[in-house]
């Protein structure tokens, strides 16, 4: 029986997943390690509200398990040595250099982990891929482990994570399914069973699915590609709705009532963000291309092309509506995170909209309940469109939405935070320059109410 687990990577996946395993399995000692000392210090902060990842309900879980059987540490070697099962939850960004640049996953962090595991391990271990990885990564990890190890036996499992940020805790408590891929050999099957036994502490066994490694890896990419495709599909229709007078919300409702289609992931938006959708589709495209399957690659690439178009056209529309110039104008951004209830900003549409408006010399004032100026500046500097000094000059953060909107020409709603709906919109209107515009990238606010106050209101797809 597994009684000691180590997880390499204390990020958005590793942190919440291990916290829930520890809470649900008090008999298992769970150690989460990371090279990033600041991040580990934050996970260990005596004030549990200061943990580095904001997820509703997560601080309560950490408060219960931390120090009991959940530990956060920078001592990677020690944790690997002591563990029977090692989860790899390090980041796998898209490559920014060389072959496959902008498309393939950069596996250097995974490879470093594999080499470290190989070097440190003195007894047999089960290694679990938790990060989203291109198909066949497990076999690369196995190669490294088998050829540079100390003669110990490794079993590699693929156990993709399906949690969505903002709902990570509820997704982990009651997952739709847990997927575990492993070798078809007796040793592989035994390793699978050991991981099944961990999840079976709280997940009904009929929801735990076992497959071969490659099916498991590909299922993760496919799930995210299908979800992203739905968003791009409704977003494509949103542009058509704007031209024809149809309302995308009404269309989404009408088609979502068809039980074969279903109502979820049909919300038109300024574009999907997050660390998974784009990266996983690009992975899929890259894999397809590498097998010469160009039609397959083009098919999925279109989901990304549509998403980029949606972000760009939102920015273009703001500029066009503000009489073709935003130079020197204050634009308030409500939200910067890629969705509500998270402090994660990776690939957030807000970054790209801001980038376009900054190129037109706008002044942007951002209010996001969970994202601060440091992260915002980091996101913009990462694009390398202009100097850091120019980004600093062009973007400020406000301590609240009223301040962000004060004397602004327009408001852009980029994240669907619930609190935005509760504001005193009359007060916001009174303190803005007129005409006062709202560009609602999330279909979040009440059109009739805002128009009655006097706002010029435009939502995506209507
Ligand atoms: C996703 C998958 O849902 C999850 O299963 C996987 O493990 C990781 O990737 P995540 O990126 O955290 O999760 O969030 P998700 O809720 O899927 O949203 C992704 C993006 O799509 C967000 O920017 C969201 O705002 C956008 N979206 C989602 C829409 O624009 N419209 C929708 O109807 C749904
Ligand atoms: P994800 O959303 O996949 O969890 P994050 O970037 O939030 O991605 O988290 C990944 C974490 O993995 C980061 O905190 C990073 O410091 C850590 N990491 C990357 N490589 C290693 C490594 N070789 N050893 C330990 N931690 C690592």
């Amino acid at each position: 029986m597994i009684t000691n687990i180590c997880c390499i990577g204390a990020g958005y996946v590793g942190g919440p997943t291990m916290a829930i395993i520890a809470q649900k399995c008090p008999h298992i000692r769970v150690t989460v390690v990371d090279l990033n000392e600041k991040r580990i210090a934050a996970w260990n902060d005596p004030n549990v509200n200061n943990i580095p990842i904001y997820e509703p309900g997560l601080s309560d879980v950490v408060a219960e398990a931390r120090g009991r059987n959940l530990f956060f540490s920078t001592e990677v070697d020690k944790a690997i040595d002591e563990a029977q099962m090692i989860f790899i939850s390090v980041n796998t960004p898209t490559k920014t250099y060389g072959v496959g640049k902008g498309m393939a996953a950069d596996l250097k962090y995974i490879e470093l982990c594999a080499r470290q595991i190989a070097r440190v391990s003195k007894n047999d271990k089960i290694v679990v891929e938790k990060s989203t990885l291109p198909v066949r990564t497990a076999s690369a990890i196995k190669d490294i482990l088998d050829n540079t190890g100390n003669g110990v036996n490794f079993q590699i499992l693929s156990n993709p994570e399906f949690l969505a940020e903002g709902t990570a805790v509820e997704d982990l408590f009651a997952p739709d399914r847990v997927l575990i891929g492993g070798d078809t050999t007796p040793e592989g099957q035994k390793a699978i069973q050991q991981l099944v036994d961990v999840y079976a502490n709280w997940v009904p066994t009929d929801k735990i699915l076992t497959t071969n490694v490659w099916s498991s890896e590909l299922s993760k990419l496919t799930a995210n590609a299908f979800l992203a495709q739905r968003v791009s599909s409704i977003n494509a229709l949103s542009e058509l709705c704007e031209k024809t007078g149809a309302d995308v919300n009404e269309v989404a409702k009408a088609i979502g009532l068809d039980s074969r289609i279903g109502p979820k992931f049909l919300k038109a938006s300024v574009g999907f963000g997050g660390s998974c959708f784009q990266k996983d589709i690009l992975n899929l495209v890259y894999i397809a291309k590498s097998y010469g399957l160009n039609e397959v690659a083009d098919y999925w690439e279109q989901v990304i092309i549509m998403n980029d178009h949606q972000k760009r056209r939102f920015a273009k529309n703001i500029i066009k509506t503000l009489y073709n110039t935003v130079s020197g104008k204050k634009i308030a951004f409500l939200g910067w995170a890629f969705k509500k209830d998270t402090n994660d900003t990776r690939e957030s549409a807000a970054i790209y909209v801001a980038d376009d408006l900054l190129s037109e010399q706008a002044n942007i004032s951002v209010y996001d309940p969970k994202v601060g100026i440091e992260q915002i500046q980091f996101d913009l500097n990462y694009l390398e469109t202009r100097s850091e000094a120019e980004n600093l000059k062009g973007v400020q953060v406000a301590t609240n939405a009223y301040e962000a909107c004060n004397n602004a020409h327009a408001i852009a709603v980029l994240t669907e935070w619930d609190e935005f709906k509760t504001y005193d919109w009359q007060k916001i209107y009174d303190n803005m320059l007129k005409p006062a515009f709202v560009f609602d990238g999330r279909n979040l606010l009440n059109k009739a109410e805002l128009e009655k106050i006097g706002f010029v209101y435009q939502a995506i797809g209507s």
Side-chain angles (χ1 to χ4, degrees), residues 160-398:
E161 187 49 73
F162 292 106
L163 67 83
E165 288 174 32
T167 52
V169 173
E170 54 184 278
D171 293 348
L172 285 160
F173 277 163
D176 284 349
R177 79 303 205 185
V178 168
L179 186 55
I180 301 173
D183 275 355
T184 46
T185 58
E187 298 78 29
Q189 294 299 305
K190 193 172 156 220
I192 290 178
Q193 192 54 46
Q194 285 180 287
L195 185 52
V196 169
D197 291 343
V198 172
Y199 282 108
N201 282 293
W202 77 97
V203 180
T205 39
D206 61 339
K207 295 204 166 171
I208 306 179
L209 222 66
T210 60
T211 64
N212 75 36
V213 179
W214 297 312
S215 302
S216 168
E217 287 177 333
L218 188 58
S219 300
K220 168 72 180 192
L221 297 188
T222 308
N224 279 340
F226 270 57
L227 291 170
Q229 182 196 39
R230 279 175 74 99
V231 179
S232 272
S233 296
I234 200 72
N235 282 346
L237 267 309
S238 74
E239 192 171 10
L240 193 57
C241 286
E242 288 166 24
K243 297 284 180 221
T244 57
D247 181 327
V248 78
N249 297 310
E250 292 177 351
V251 175
K253 189 165 181 199
I255 64 166
L257 284 171
D258 184 327
S259 61
R260 293 167 303 175
I261 297 174
K264 293 181 184 168
F265 271 75
L266 285 180
K267 185 114 185 121
S269 70
V270 56
F272 60 74
S275 68
C276 284
F277 280 7
Q278 172 155 319
K279 185 185 76 181
D280 287 355
I281 293 177
L282 288 173
N283 263 333
L284 204 57
V285 169
Y286 185 73
I287 293 162
K289 276 197 179 144
S290 69
Y291 286 110
L293 308 177
N294 292 329
E295 290 77 6
V296 177
D298 291 349
Y299 178 78
W300 287 107
E301 192 167 18
Q302 197 59 38
V303 174
I304 303 280
I305 293 171
M306 187 61 227
N307 197 49
D308 286 338
H309 171 68
Q310 189 77 348
K311 292 182 271 189
R312 291 256 115 86
R313 96 181 172 83
F314 185 76
K316 266 196 200 140
N317 182 44
I318 294 179
I319 298 160
K320 191 176 117 225
T321 309
L322 296 184
Y323 317 108
N324 285 315
T325 176
V326 289
S327 178
K329 290 182 180 169
K330 180 177 178 183
I331 317 271
F333 270 37
L334 295 188
W336 189 267
F338 81 97
K339 62 187 278 197
K340 74 171 179 179
D341 291 339
T342 179
N343 60 347
D344 194 353
T345 65
R346 285 176 288 181
E347 291 302 329
S348 179
I351 304 169
Y352 298 92
V353 175
D355 190 50
D356 282 359
L357 295 179
L358 286 172
S359 295
E360 294 288 329
Q361 302 178 344
N363 292 326
I364 297 172
S365 181
V366 184
Y367 170 68
D368 186 293
K370 292 289 171 194
V371 183
I373 187 71
E374 226 176 272
Q375 184 62 47
I376 292 171
Q377 290 295 335
F378 175 87
D379 292 337
L380 288 167
N381 293 336
Y382 192 76
L383 297 181
E384 295 182 351
T385 311
R386 63 191 70 72
S387 71
E388 297 190 5
E390 284 172 295
N391 283 332
L392 262 179
K393 197 164 147 263
V395 183
Q396 286 86 43
V397 295

Side-chain angles (χ1 to χ4, degrees), residues 7-16 33-37 39 43 53 74 76 89-92 108-114 116 130-132 165 275-276 279 344 346:
C7 171
I8 307 179
Y12 284 90
V13 172
V33 292
D34 203 297
L35 296 172
N36 184 335
E37 289 177 12
R39 211 167 205 183
W43 279 111
I53 282 163
T74 50
V76 183
S89 296
V90 302
N91 37 336
T92 51
K108 71 177 171 201
Y109 302 107
I110 297 281
E111 184 170 338
L112 278 171
C113 278
Q116 194 162 5
K130 197 75 191 160
S131 320
T132 302
E165 288 174 32
S275 68
C276 284
K279 185 185 76 181
D344 194 353
R346 285 176 288 181

